[in-house]
Amino acid sequence: MHTKENTSEEIDLGQLFKLIGNAINTFFNRVYNSLKAIYHLFILCILFFRVHFFKFCLAVILGIGLGGYLDYNALRVYKSSMVVQPNFNSVRQLYSNIEFYNQLIKQEESEELAGVLHIPQSAAKSMTNIEITALTDRAQKILKFDEFIKDLDTTTRKNINYQDYLKNFNVINADFHEIQIEATAPEIAKQCQKAIVAAIKTNDYFRLQKNVNDDNLAVRDTMISEQLKEINKLQSFYREIKILEVQQSRGATNINLADNKIKQTPEFELFEQMEKLKEEKTELNIEKANTKNIINIISNFPNRGTLITDLRFKKIAQIPALFVVILILILIIPGFNKYLANYSK
C-alpha cells in the first residue's frame, strides 16, 4: 500500500513540475515573440525612411523655407500675465468671464469685445488669445487637503485619503490663478486689467459677501480688543493683590509656598489667554488683508508684453512637421491599400 501511495505522489509531483515548466516556456516564448515583432517593426521603419530619405529631406527643407517666410511676414505676438487671488467664491465667475472674452476673440467680435473690456476696437482686434490657468503645486494641494478634512467628522476622515482627494481635485479650488493675454500690440493687456477686475468687483452678490465678511471681521476684532482690555484689568488687579500680600508678609517668619503657587496660577492662565488672543489678532489682521478686495491682484499686467519666441508656436517648426506627416501618409496609403486588397483575397 505504501509503495502505491509513494508512486502516486511522485506522479502528481512530476505532473506539477511539468505544468510549471510548460507555463514558464510559454511565458518566455511570448516575450521572445513580442520582442521579435517589435524589432521587425523597427527595422521596417528604418528601411522605409532609408528608401524615401531624400523625399523627407526635401519636405523638411521646403517646410523650413515656407515657415521661415511666413514667420518673417507674420505679426509678432506678445504675451502678458497677471496673477490674481479671487475671494468669496468669485473664481467661477472669473473663469466664465475669461472664457467669454476668448470666445469673442475667436469669433472676431472685436466691437463687443471692445465694449466689455473698455478698450478701443483697434486694440480689441489685436488680441489673439486670453486664458486663465490655476497655479498649484504639491504643497498647496496638501494644505487644501488639510483644510478640507478639518471640517469633516471622524468617520468620514477615515474613508478619505490624499490620493482620493487628488483624483477629485478641481483646479478652481486653487488659491492663485494666472491670466494670460496674447496680442499683436504689447501694451493691450495693461489696458484690459481694470475691466477684467471690475467685472468681478461690481457683481452684487460678491459685494454683499464682502460686506458681510467685513462686518464679521469687525465684530471679531471688537471682541478680541474687549477681551484684551479685561485681561489687562485683571492683571492689574492681581498685581495690586500681590503687592498687598508682600507688604503683609514682611513681618511674618513662615511663608507657605503652596499658597503662593496657587495664587500665581490665575496670573499664568491670564498670560496664556492673552498670548492666544494676540495670535488670534494677528490671524485676523492677515484675514483682513487677504479679504480686503473681492479679487486680489498679486502681480499686475506689465506695461509691455514679452515677445513669444517659443519654437513650438513658430511656423518654421510647425510646417516642416506637417509636410513630413503628409508625406508619410502619401507613401503609406498606396501600400496599405494594396495590403487590404491582398488580405481580402
Side-chain angles (χ1 to χ4, degrees), residues 9-232:
E9 290 178 0
E10 290 177 0
I11 292 173
D12 292 340
L13 289 174
Q15 291 177 349
L16 176 62
F17 285 122
K18 185 177 180 180
L19 290 173
I20 294 174
N22 291 336
I24 294 174
N25 289 332
T26 302
F27 172 75
F28 281 107
N29 286 334
R30 288 182 179 178
V31 172
Y32 171 76
N33 291 331
S34 299
L35 293 176
K36 186 177 179 181
I38 294 172
Y39 176 75
H40 179 66
L41 181 62
F42 175 71
I43 295 298
L44 288 178
C45 291
I46 292 178
L47 292 174
F48 175 79
F49 283 105
R50 180 189 174 189
V51 172
H52 304 288
F53 177 76
F54 291 104
K55 296 178 183 177
F56 284 109
C57 289
L58 181 61
V60 171
I61 293 172
L62 291 176
I64 291 175
L66 180 59
Y69 174 78
L70 294 176
D71 285 335
Y72 180 78
N73 291 280
L75 294 174
R76 295 184 177 184
V77 179
Y78 298 85
K79 180 174 68 175
S80 303
S81 301
M82 176 175 68
V83 179
V84 297
Q85 182 186 28
N87 293 318
F88 313 112
N89 297 320
S90 61
V91 62
R92 294 184 182 275
Q93 182 63 50
L94 179 62
Y95 269 75
S96 178
N97 290 355
I98 297 299
E99 184 179 357
F100 172 67
Y101 302 150
N102 198 42
Q103 288 297 323
L104 293 179
I105 293 174
K106 300 306 179 185
Q107 296 171 7
E108 298 182 355
E109 298 287 345
S110 57
E111 184 176 355
E112 186 175 356
L113 182 63
V116 295
L117 292 179
H118 307 296
I119 57 176
Q121 188 173 353
S122 58
K125 288 182 178 179
S126 69
M127 296 178 66
T128 59
N129 186 53
I130 179 172
E131 62 182 17
I132 181 171
T133 56
L135 299 178
T136 58
D137 54 20
R138 182 177 177 82
Q140 290 186 9
K141 289 179 179 178
I142 292 175
L143 291 175
K144 283 292 182 182
F145 175 69
D146 185 58
E147 294 176 2
F148 174 72
I149 62 175
K150 281 181 180 178
D151 298 330
L152 302 178
D153 56 84
T154 307
T155 305
T156 308
R157 288 181 186 178
K158 293 180 180 179
N159 298 326
I160 297 178
N161 55 40
Y162 180 66
Q163 297 301 327
D164 293 334
Y165 177 79
L166 285 182
K167 292 178 182 178
N168 298 282
F169 182 79
N170 194 330
V171 293
I172 291 180
N173 297 327
D175 289 331
F176 304 103
H177 303 265
E178 183 181 42
I179 301 173
Q180 291 185 349
I181 292 180
E182 296 177 4
T184 56
E187 71 282 352
I188 295 303
K190 192 67 176 179
Q191 300 177 14
C192 300
Q193 176 175 317
K194 187 175 180 181
I196 292 174
V197 176
I200 304 298
K201 286 185 176 181
T202 55
N203 186 289
D204 292 337
Y205 173 76
F206 300 136
R207 291 173 64 181
L208 176 62
Q209 293 294 317
K210 182 184 181 302
N211 293 334
V212 172
N213 183 75
D214 291 343
D215 292 340
N216 292 336
L217 293 178
V219 172
R220 287 173 57 190
D221 193 7
T222 302
M223 292 176 61
I224 292 174
S225 299
E226 292 296 328
Q227 289 176 340
L228 288 172
K229 288 180 182 179
E230 293 298 326
I231 290 176
N232 286 328

Side-chain angles (χ1 to χ4, degrees), residues 19 53 106 113 138 142 160 221 238 262-263 302 315 319 326 337 343-344:
L19 290 173
F53 177 76
K106 300 306 179 185
L113 182 63
R138 182 177 177 82
I142 292 175
I160 297 178
D221 193 7
Y238 279 119
I262 294 174
K263 292 175 182 177
K315 296 292 188 297
I319 292 182
I326 293 175
N337 187 36
Y343 184 82
S344 63

